[in-house]
Amino acid sequence: MKVVEQIKQPIAYEMDLFEQKFQLSMASKVALLNRITHYIVNRKGKQMRPMFVFLVAKMVSNGEVSERTYRGASVIELIHTATLVHDDVVDDSNRRRGFFSVNALWKNKIAVLIGDYLLSKGLLLSIDNNDFDLLKIISIAVREMSEGELLQIEKARKLDITEVVYYEIIRQKTATLIAACCSLGAASVKPESQHVETMRKFGELIGMAFQIKDDLFDYGDAQIGKPTGIDIKEQKMTLPLIYVLNQASKKDKNWLINSIKNHNKNTKRVKEVIAFVKHNGGLDYAVAKMKEFQTEALELIKTYPDSKYKNSLELMVNYVIDRKK
């Protein structure tokens, strides 16, 4: 059995029911909207985010979920999908998960409006049901994701990212959404309890490990949907590169910065940068940091009683850093 299927097993019933509720939450009277949202739903990914919501809810409440849990999972998926649709417009990307993106098929204007529609649907789902605590969690996540993206753009222009700034960028850009999934799961069944903050921290740590793993793919040889060296070509400063820059001699540092600033489209030069980072311990350092976040996350759920939901969450944490794509 695939790892993802194994993780999903204890919440298979909830995930099936969630799919139905999620499709209903997207419905509209406009035929074009329904056609596009149907296209999006049928090309969904692994659905890790709703899985986090249900597994956390069940772990902290001895196997219970509520209607609020389903709404929390739907809100997070609606808003996450909205950000992906908008991202594809911003990045001028024509593919998403191997299929044509919304903007490739229906052009940018429609894609932006679809993103706005999904965002408003998510907000109204919470407001109409007085889930203001859940709405606050997701709204903070959206704000932080936007700030993280802008901070990365600002720093990429100067290439002056320190390790501390890098962690802040990935915390906001990636970890904050997984943190929101986990705190939503806890808040949906145990509102205003200590579990909400503990699970937020748990999700944040997983998100940090997840992003470092993603950064490591840039230096690998596996076919994972994004070409090797793409981060360097896009002048994204990731942890392996930041570490090596901080350790390098003045001459090597100048060569690295010059390569990234002025020769990032030169395939040979990009390969040389990748080789330099590997040779000077950048990957080993990043792997060690990723494992620190993983260990901290697992430590946080140690105190919870043993259950199949806790086992699945532990599997999920390990899957994040062992995955091949």
Side-chain angles (χ1 to χ4, degrees):
M1 189 190 296
K2 283 185 177 170
V3 182
V4 178
E5 289 307 311
Q6 221 176 320
I7 293 166
K8 209 188 259 192
Q9 223 176 3
I11 50 163
Y13 170 77
E14 285 79 9
M15 288 299 288
D16 286 344
L17 190 53
F18 161 73
E19 294 239 341
Q20 296 165 32
K21 289 175 184 282
F22 181 59
Q23 288 191 22
L24 283 173
S25 70
M26 277 189 169
S28 156
K29 293 189 180 79
V30 179
L32 175 62
L33 253 172
N34 286 333
R35 197 153 71 240
I36 299 170
T37 54
H38 180 74
Y39 178 82
I40 292 169
V41 168
N42 284 347
R43 279 147 195 82
K44 63 184 181 295
K46 296 187 189 80
Q47 292 193 303
M48 303 297 263
R49 286 154 198 88
M51 282 160 67
F52 272 122
V53 175
F54 288 113
L55 286 170
V56 166
K58 289 198 144 210
M59 182 183 75
V60 303
S61 68
N62 300 321
E64 297 297 314
V65 294
S66 66
E67 274 304 312
R68 264 165 62 87
T69 316
Y70 287 100
R71 290 198 295 271
S74 291
V75 167
I76 209 105
E77 200 66 350
L78 281 163
I79 288 174
H80 173 59
T81 308
T83 61
L84 293 184
V85 172
H86 281 166
D87 278 354
D88 288 338
V89 174
V90 172
D91 298 338
D92 203 14
S93 173
N94 290 324
R95 312 289 286 183
R96 167 68 61 185
R97 298 183 183 126
F99 296 96
F100 283 116
S101 58
V102 172
N103 52 301
L105 292 172
W106 286 281
K107 302 295 175 235
N108 283 353
K109 185 175 181 179
I110 288 177
V112 170
L113 292 169
I114 289 287
D116 292 347
Y117 174 77
L118 296 173
L119 196 60
S120 65
K121 274 287 198 182
L123 300 177
L124 284 168
L125 184 60
S126 294
I127 291 164
D128 291 346
N129 292 284
N130 294 330
D131 296 331
F132 296 112
D133 55 337
L134 305 187
L135 183 58
K136 185 175 182 182
I137 290 169
I138 192 65
S139 299
I140 289 169
V142 173
R143 182 196 70 201
E144 296 224 312
M145 283 155 67
S146 309
E147 283 180 354
E149 284 286 357
L150 289 164
L151 179 59
Q152 184 172 48
I153 290 166
E154 179 194 330
K155 294 293 178 184
R157 285 178 181 158
K158 296 179 188 168
L159 298 186
D160 62 349
I161 296 185
T162 61
E163 201 170 318
V164 173
V165 172
Y166 165 80
Y167 290 134
E168 185 54 17
I169 289 171
I170 68 166
R171 187 191 68 73
Q172 291 186 310
K173 258 190 66 176
T174 304
T176 194
L177 191 64
I178 298 175
C181 296
C182 296
S183 56
L184 271 176
S188 72
V189 287
K190 300 272 185 186
E192 294 175 33
S193 67
Q194 184 52 46
H195 302 293
V196 181
E197 176 53 24
T198 305
M199 289 297 104
R200 185 202 66 75
K201 186 69 189 157
F202 170 73
E204 185 174 285
L205 290 163
I206 297 169
M208 301 292 276
F210 182 93
Q211 187 56 56
I212 295 173
K213 178 69 175 186
D214 244 27
D215 293 350
L216 286 163
F217 284 138
D218 206 44
Y219 295 88
D221 306 312
Q223 291 297 308
I224 53 141
K226 78 169 191 178
T228 304
I230 197 80
D231 289 340
I232 295 166
K233 286 172 186 153
E234 291 176 359
Q235 298 190 2
K236 280 184 190 160
M237 302 290 283
T238 59
L239 189 56
L241 189 56
I242 292 165
Y243 172 77
V244 167
L245 268 171
N246 289 339
Q247 307 300 314
S249 66
K250 195 164 185 214
K251 183 180 161 220
D252 286 338
K253 194 171 186 172
N254 288 340
W255 174 79
L256 278 167
I257 288 174
N258 183 33
S259 301
I260 295 156
K261 265 194 170 163
N262 305 315
H263 304 281
N264 55 38
K265 301 288 186 275
N266 179 329
T267 308
K268 182 173 176 284
R269 191 72 168 256
V270 169
K271 280 185 175 165
E272 285 169 7
V273 171
I274 290 173
F276 185 89
V277 170
K278 284 181 176 175
H279 183 68
N280 288 279
L283 300 196
D284 296 339
Y285 182 79
V287 167
K289 283 290 173 190
M290 175 178 74
K291 289 190 169 166
E292 277 178 34
F293 287 119
Q294 176 202 26
T295 306
E296 243 186 289
L298 290 171
E299 202 59 41
L300 270 182
I301 56 171
K302 259 193 178 159
T303 51
Y304 285 91
D306 287 338
S307 67
K308 53 192 176 180
Y309 315 113
K310 179 179 166 180
N311 291 347
S312 274
L313 282 169
E314 286 170 346
L315 256 180
M316 186 89 104
V317 176
N318 295 327
Y319 169 73
V320 158
I321 73 162
D322 293 334
R323 67 201 163 99
K324 299 289 179 273
K325 61 178 182 178

